[in-house]
Amino acid sequence: MLAVVDYGIGNLRSAQKAFEAVGEDAVLTSDHATILRADAVVLPGVGAFGRCVDALEASGLRSVLGDVLAEQRPFLGICVGFQLLYEGSTESPGFSGLGVFEGTVNKLTGPVKVPQMQWNQLDRGANDATTLLRGLGDRPWVYFVHSFAPPVSDVTTATCDYGGTVTAMAGRGPVVGTQFHPEKSGPIGLAILENFVAAAKGELPWS
Amino acid sequence: MRVPRVIPCLDVHDGRVVKGVNFLDLLDAGDPVELARRYDLEGADELVFLDITATSDDRSTMVRVVEMTAETVFIPLTVGGGVRSVEDARSLLRAGADKVSVNSAAVARPGLVAELAEEFGRQCVVVAIDAKRGDDGYGVVTHGGRRPAGLDLVEWLETVAKLGAGEILLTSMDRDGTRAGYDLQLLQLATTTIDLPVIASGGVGTLDHLVEGVTTGGADAVLAASIFHSSEFRIDEAKAAMRDAGLTIRPSPYRGQ
């Protein structure tokens, strides 16, 4: 069973429906025990970084997710849920993220409109190590809506070009995240979720 | 890289897609779920559903249409028409919509935009604006263009941007249904007034009009209804025309499958 973490932030139905579409039993839940029992945990998120941190703390889910991450359970962060895996964000100074990836999330820069609200192509990292993009060809198209993004670092697995090189995916072992919305990226997005599920079940290696 | 989006708009009346000129003489254009699937296959970047019945009795019809669409189509879905409260928006988002669009309800009560942005995040909030050229610039109109809202377009754009709009769906009521092309001056005015993404709407008759909306008008997305519903042009043909004009577009992900 896969748990989509419901912490009162944004529209979580899309993520749940997308997992159901690839044949995965996905529950939308804020129940601590259910999340701790799940085979894989998905953390969506929209809006301001600080508001998401507040919501995680208010619901007691911050420590639950900390336990899930410490156990190296399969974990997928989406959009701001991905950003929450980092230490913090210049969007909300003073708010600490979950801190499993190093670095601070920053505002998009360059001669481009912010937010990026469009489809864009993924550029695979030099080592092309991520299983999530397995079978998806050279530069797959995915849908982004964001004003901030994590820094490019050693955990970055794919980037996109938007006023510069922007982190689009990152991962270390079973803890992965996407700045774009796989649940809204058509058949390519569904294939990414399917790859996540397969890796979470041990059918594919993480990298 | 800037990638303009192509968005078919489905006007839904009593659970059916309709087309009409200036909201009059509605003709049946099919089942919304089926059309949504077809457009997804052809490479639509997003979908917009506007409920043009929008009386309270019909809300549940629209929610069902959204639910059925969201089960099979996994691209961003904006739903509008008759959204007057956070609860109205919530029922559509729960059904699977990704963004809600507000128009006359925001004109009547601008605070609604702020409430929606606070509750769901501004990326969820599309403010639809119907604009009409007047003697002193553009004004905002409601009720299918029949009623002037007494608002100047530029002021209204700045107001909703400040309140929390995430995107603007801008329809020229002078051009809507005419097939004469977008009002490019209107688009230029909007895209230079605010930094938010702007969806061009109203007046598309040819594929060149879609190109102009982006290149001359500065729009981030181009919306059309009847040229797609009538099967006059497919989405992939529209995108091919845009690519030929030098724009970067996303190809249909289903090609070759």
Side-chain angles (χ1 to χ4, degrees):
Chain A
M1 180 268 297
L2 180 148
V4 178
V5 180
D6 180 0
Y7 58 121
I9 291 285
N11 173 22
L12 310 170
R13 283 288 292 151
S14 294
Q16 186 197 16
K17 284 196 174 202
F19 276 107
E20 284 170 355
V22 300
E24 187 58 20
D25 174 22
V27 293
L28 195 52
T29 182
S30 56
D31 179 57
H32 296 189
T34 306
I35 293 168
L36 287 167
R37 212 172 50 229
D39 303 310
V41 174
V42 177
L43 181 64
V46 295
F49 186 92
R51 184 156 190 251
C52 291
V53 171
D54 270 344
L56 280 182
E57 278 167 4
S59 54
L61 286 166
R62 185 190 179 99
S63 66
V64 172
L65 295 183
D67 292 347
V68 167
L69 290 164
E71 286 172 23
Q72 289 284 295
R73 207 100 58 75
F75 190 101
L76 171 66
I78 298 173
C79 198
V80 181
F82 168 47
Q83 296 175 1
L84 288 167
L85 290 169
Y86 289 79
E87 292 169 293
S89 171
T90 54
E91 182 179 24
S92 309
F95 287 88
S96 296
L98 297 165
V100 294
F101 297 156
E102 286 174 8
T104 300
V105 175
N106 282 298
K107 190 155 195 185
L108 297 173
T109 54
V112 286
K113 207 173 255 198
V114 174
Q116 168 170 223
M117 185 185 278
Q118 63 171 17
W119 294 77
N120 205 338
Q121 281 182 287
L122 295 179
D123 292 308
R124 292 158 184 269
N127 51 4
D128 191 10
T130 178
T131 285
L132 297 197
L133 298 182
R134 185 174 159 274
L136 290 178
D138 193 22
R139 298 183 69 212
W141 287 89
V142 292
Y143 184 78
F144 289 85
V145 183
H146 65 128
S147 300
F148 289 77
V152 176
S153 72
D154 60 343
V155 293
T156 302
T157 49
T159 58
C160 70
D161 170 21
Y162 195 71
T165 302
V166 174
T167 295
M169 291 176 77
R172 187 188 283 134
V175 178
V176 297
T178 63
Q179 181 57 67
F180 57 89
H181 289 270
E183 78 281 15
K184 285 288 127 187
S185 296
I188 287 172
L190 293 183
I192 291 170
L193 297 181
E194 219 168 357
N195 285 337
F196 172 76
V197 168
K201 288 179 175 164
E203 293 162 9
L204 289 174
W206 285 102
S207 57
Chain B
M1 187 169 60
R2 181 163 175 251
V3 186
R5 292 165 281 152
V6 176
I7 307 178
C9 178
L10 290 73
D11 291 327
V12 180
H13 187 270
D14 291 338
R16 298 287 292 178
V17 179
V18 291
K19 54 184 175 179
V21 177
N22 289 321
F23 293 94
L24 301 169
D25 304 325
L26 301 178
L27 298 169
D28 189 85
D31 173 57
V33 183
E34 253 171 58
L35 266 182
R37 279 189 200 138
R38 190 182 104 200
Y39 293 144
D40 175 38
L41 286 171
E42 291 175 3
D45 294 314
E46 300 192 16
L47 296 170
V48 170
F49 283 176
L50 290 181
D51 187 355
I52 64 169
T53 30
T55 57
S56 50
D57 295 351
D58 299 307
R59 295 233 62 89
S60 56
T61 307
M62 195 59 185
V63 166
R64 271 201 307 282
V65 166
V66 172
E67 270 173 1
M68 286 191 290
T69 305
E71 266 160 33
T72 51
V73 174
F74 294 93
I75 57 176
L77 174 60
T78 298
V79 183
V83 175
R84 292 188 182 84
S85 66
V86 165
E87 286 318 306
D88 288 342
R90 196 189 309 279
S91 68
L92 293 169
L93 294 170
R94 279 230 176 100
D98 300 287
K99 314 180 201 179
V100 291
S101 150
V102 289
N103 188 337
S104 48
V107 169
R109 194 170 68 81
L112 175 62
V113 176
E115 289 168 18
L116 292 171
E118 169 65 21
E119 187 66 25
F120 306 113
R122 64 189 299 159
Q123 81 296 325
C124 252
V125 185
V126 180
V127 175
I129 301 177
D130 293 341
K132 206 164 184 160
R133 197 188 287 260
D135 294 334
D136 330 301
Y138 288 93
V140 178
V141 295
T142 59
H143 298 80
R146 293 192 302 275
R147 198 178 294 178
L151 290 165
D152 172 69
L153 176 70
V154 169
E155 281 171 30
W156 183 234
L157 284 168
E158 285 166 346
T159 300
V160 297
K162 202 178 293 173
L163 286 170
E167 192 172 26
I168 302 295
L169 196 178
L170 183 60
T171 303
S172 161
M173 296 312 287
D174 301 306
R175 294 298 178 90
D176 197 41
T178 64
R179 302 173 62 88
Y182 294 124
D183 183 338
L184 299 174
Q185 277 182 345
L186 171 67
L187 286 173
Q188 283 169 349
L189 179 65
T191 53
T192 52
T193 298
I194 46 161
D195 285 333
L196 297 172
V198 173
I199 306 170
S201 161
V204 174
T206 70
L207 300 183
D208 285 343
H209 291 154
L210 300 175
V211 173
E212 286 169 2
V214 176
T215 55
T216 311
D220 301 279
V222 287
L223 178 143
S226 58
I227 63 160
F228 297 133
H229 303 335
S230 62
S231 299
E232 191 179 350
F233 298 107
R234 293 192 315 267
I235 306 282
D236 51 329
E237 290 172 324
K239 288 186 145 187
M242 293 170 75
R243 187 175 47 229
D244 290 346
L247 298 171
T248 304
I249 54 94
R250 162 189 171 253
S252 167
Y254 298 95
R255 244 181 356 178
Q257 288 184 13

